Amino acid sequence: MTQVFALIDCNNFYVSCERVFNPALESVPTLVLSNNDGCAIARSNEMKALGIKMGDPYFKIKDILEKHNVQVFSSNYELYGDMSSRVMGCLRQFSPHMEIYSIDEAFLDLSLIPPDELLTYGQEIHRKIKQWTGIPVSVGIGPTKTLAKVANKLAKSQGLPCHALLNLADIQKALKAFPLKDIWGIGRRWAEKLSQMGFQDAYELSQADTKWARQTFNIVMARLVSELQGLSYLSLEEINPKKKSMVSSRSFGKHITSLEDLSASVAYHASRLGQKLRQQQSKASTLAVSIRTNPHRQQDVQYRNSQLIHLPCPTNDSRILISHAKRALEKIYKPGPIYKKAMVMVDGLVPQDYVQYDLFLSQDQVEEEHSRVLMDTLDHLNRTHGKGSLIFASEGTRKTWRMQRNMKTPSYTTR
């Protein structure tokens, strides 16, 4: 059986999510900003036509945006995450084998679809996802994941619902006009090095010898060359590998100087990591807290520090994580500086059923069971009544440290 992959990519995803609930934004230049309304992270096609680039600082392009009556929004992560879940749920109906690659991308295995029906099938995926969720997608189909990525890029650039690369002639034609820098897995440095070696486009790279690619670069480049040649080396990752470490961090929306506000933010991040650990059915062995000022404000006193703690026993109990995180913060906090960011990280993750009791404490087993029941109850209530319905008092209620989102739309689907 010939392998066939499809890559489904949501078009201008964050902007598309906003347009689902505000159809008046269709064909209107629309921009979504990053954390604290800092810079451009999602642009409608109309925005791209104005020359606004990804990562442009908001304060630098504000005059241009006002001149062209651009609609600007803060990031609405609750909405985008929920809409992503809806899109991925719909995509599962088109194939029994699926890999969620990112919040707005997924690979499907379409090997069971007859070759002469693949293009029509891809167009149907585009039509159904738009009908069911309101999100426009581009579909790229090819015999390898890398070629499916190429096909998807061509579908986007040509404004097509689906582009399929299914025979050698079509593949070679597409690769002859495809830039090296746009090949999946080739970064800027590799693209520059290949260009210096005389490679002009993806087609010339596909004609390279895989042994040469491995000796000159590494096994990743050798597999990439094989994929461009139509030989599949990258299979679907249907089960996401468990994370080996986790981080929770946000820049502050306001100037923070007090230990109280920093402590509330650190408690929030520790609680969030506890929930993530329980979702993954893992426990953490170490915890680190770091704080820093804004390096871009040279007029301010600069300070950054971190503290690593080895936990007595691996845990995913938010209460224990919060307690250790606050102790770590107290060791590194210094009054005076204006703090911009706090981060909590957990590492040394082990399976949730891993148990390490203290030889001298007979109550450990009972406490472990009480902890599990309590955390399960906490998670259940927050799932049932909405995120943040039940929080720890140490997280505070004012949330003065929360990031700035002055132009955020409502959480239409989650509240």
Side-chain angles (χ1 to χ4, degrees), residues 328-366:
L329 174 66
E330 289 167 0
K331 291 181 180 179
I332 59 176
Y333 171 73
K334 178 174 155 185
I338 299 173
Y339 292 97
K340 181 62 178 175
K341 192 173 187 179
M343 181 188 79
V344 179
M345 181 180 77
V346 290
D347 205 348
L349 304 193
V350 296
Q352 185 169 254
D353 55 6
Y354 176 90
V355 178
Q356 177 184 313
Y357 296 133
D358 191 311
L359 179 63
F360 303 102
L361 294 178
S362 59
Q363 289 298 311
D364 272 0
Q365 189 169 358
V366 175

